[in-house]
Each structure stands twice: as structure tokens, then as C-alpha cells.
């Protein structure tokens, strides 16, 4: 069964500093990979996704992520964070071909922005 | 605004009761997904419907059931409620089934079981 690990429960970053949120997945083949953001009291919004091709994908709000097959990782990055980036971030994996289409989510990383 | 609507926003009920959560997908989306978000289990996929038919099941309890109607809205029925069922329940929709299709999430229904 596929699984997703986000090793950092909380991360605190100063405004303007760079950010990297870690995500590791367990899946036999090449998965569909996603990063979602959840602001307080809101639903989830898709930041970016990877299916195939270029391993560096660009998303909304200045985020990017890099797929590294050898490390089974899909880390999210942003060069300079803004106070409005404070939120919960979820990495998710989808199964390619047949089976359940529902996504498997990591436990999330809570991002705190220091002024 | 994702275009996915969920009602009610909040629901408070007692153990043993039954509730129904409603979801209207984005216009044109045929697939509806239900997820449960709790502190213990995180975000878990419950069930998926596609164009009125059940397509896939995840970690859905036997006390829970769902359906998708001809107008494509969906309802999640939770019965014999327990304290542990308290959670945020999300509905998501996508144009088609398949993990490659972006899922748009609604704002969720917060269920509190007392």
C-alpha cells in the first residue's frame, strides 16, 4: 500500500527566508504526487502536482517541488516566504492505473512564519 | 472558492445518532470523493463516486454510507455515531475519475459528536 511521510510536524521560518518542506512516499511505480495547502477554516487548495516529465514542477504562489525517484521524495520549496504562507501543508500520492482514485495524504506540516 | 459546496458547515449531535452531510460538486465534475480529517488519523479517503456509481472505497466504516444522485450531488450518511467520529469531513470533486485529475475540495463539514 502506498504511504506518505512528512517528517516535520511543525516548521518555523522567518518572513523572507527560504522554505523547504519534506515529503517521502512509498509506492512501487511512479506515482502521481501533489502538494496541497490548507489555511485555517478552509478546504484544501492544490499548489502543484507531478505526473511525469520534468522533475522540477512549478506551482501557484511561487512554490516549486522536485521529484527525486532515487530518494522517493517530493520536497516543496519556496525561495522567500510571506506571512500569508502560514498554513498546513499536505503532501499526497495517487495511484496510477486502476484501483482507488482517492489520494493518500501525509500527516501534514504546520508552517509558522516569524516576523 | 473551489466551486464545491458542502452543507452544513457545522453539525453537533449525540452518540448513537445518524447524520447526513451534503456535497454539491463543481459544475461539470462527474466524480465526487469523501475524506475524513481527524487529529488521530489525519486526512483519509473514504469513498468515491463517479457519475452516480460507486467507484472506489477507502477506509470507510460499515456504519457510513454514501450515494451520488442523478444531479451529481452526493450525500454521506453517518449512523450509530461514536465520539471518535468527530472530525472534519471534506468533499472533493474532479472532472473525471483517476488520480491524474485535480481534485477540488469543499470547505468541509465539522462534525462534533457529544
Amino acid at each position: 500500500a502506498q504511504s506518505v511521510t512528512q517528517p516535520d510536524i511543525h516548521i518555523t521560518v522567518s518572513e523572507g527566508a527560504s522554505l523547504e518542506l519534506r515529503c517521502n512516499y512509498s509506492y512501487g511505480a511512479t506515482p502521481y504526487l501533489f502538494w496541497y495547502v490548507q489555511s485555517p477554516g478552509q478546504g484544501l487548495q492544490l499548489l502543484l502536482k507531478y505526473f511525469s516529465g520534468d522533475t522540477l514542477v512549478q506551482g501557484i504562489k511561487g512554490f516549486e517541488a522536485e521529484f527525486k525517484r532515487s530518494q522517493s521524495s517530493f520536497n516543496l520549496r519556496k525561495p522567500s516566504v510571506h506571512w500569508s504562507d502560514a498554513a498546513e501543508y499536505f503532501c499526497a500520492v495517487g495511484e496510477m492505473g486502476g484501483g482507488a482514485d482517492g489520494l493518500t495524504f501525509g500527516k501534514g506540516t504546520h508552517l509558522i512564519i516569524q516576523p | 472558492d473551489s466551486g464545491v459546496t458542502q452543507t452544513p458547515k457545522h453539525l453537533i449531535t449525540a452518540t448513537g445518532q445518524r447524520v447526513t452531510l451534503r456535497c454539491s460538486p463543481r459544475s461539470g465534475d462527474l466524480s465526487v470523493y469523501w475524506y475524513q480529517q481527524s487529529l488521530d488519523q489525519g486526512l483519509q479517503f473514504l469513498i468515491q463516486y463517479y457519475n452516480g456509481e460507486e467507484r472506489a472505497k477507502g477506509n470507510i466504516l460499515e456504519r457510513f454510507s454514501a450515494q451520488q444522485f442523478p444531479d451529481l450531488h452526493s450525500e454521506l450518511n453517518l449512523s450509530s455515531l461514536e465520539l471518535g467520529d468527530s472530525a472534519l469531513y471534506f468533499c472533493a470533486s474532479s472532472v473525471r475519475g483517476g488520480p491524474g485529475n485535480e481534485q477540488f475540495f469543499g470547505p468541509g463539514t465539522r462534525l462534533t459528536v457529544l
Side-chain angles (χ1 to χ4, degrees), chain B residues 83-99:
Chain B
L83 295 178
D85 298 327
S86 295
L88 195 51
Y89 291 84
F90 286 110
C91 168
S93 71
S94 65
V95 174
R96 295 179 293 275

Side-chain angles (χ1 to χ4, degrees), chain B residues 52-112:
Chain B
E53 300 289 327
E54 181 184 303
R55 182 180 174 102
K57 275 187 173 179
N59 298 320
I60 189 165
L61 299 172
E62 285 193 12
R63 300 183 285 109
F64 296 1
S65 64
Q67 57 186 133
Q68 187 178 27
F69 295 87
D71 67 352
L72 300 178
H73 90 272
S74 178
E75 293 180 356
L76 178 67
N77 301 295
L78 316 176
S79 62
S80 303
L81 285 168
E82 302 175 359
L83 295 178
D85 298 327
S86 295
L88 195 51
Y89 291 84
F90 286 110
C91 168
S93 71
S94 65
V95 174
R96 295 179 293 275
N101 293 282
E102 178 178 348
Q103 295 181 27
F104 294 85
F105 282 76
T109 293
R110 183 168 295 282
L111 174 65
T112 303

Side-chain angles (χ1 to χ4, degrees), chain A residues 32-34 36 46 48-51 92-97 100-103 105, chain B residues 26 28-33 35 48 50 55 92-105:
Chain A
Y32 290 100
L33 294 163
F34 306 83
Y36 281 86
L46 181 67
L48 46 79
K49 59 188 177 186
Y50 172 79
F51 296 160
V93 61
E95 181 178 348
M96 184 181 290
D101 293 335
L103 300 176
F105 284 87
Chain B
R26 292 188 323 154
D29 284 0
L30 298 178
S31 198
V32 169
Y33 310 76
Y35 291 86
Q48 178 197 4
Y50 179 75
R55 182 180 174 102
S93 71
S94 65
V95 174
R96 295 179 293 275
N101 293 282
E102 178 178 348
Q103 295 181 27
F104 294 85
F105 282 76

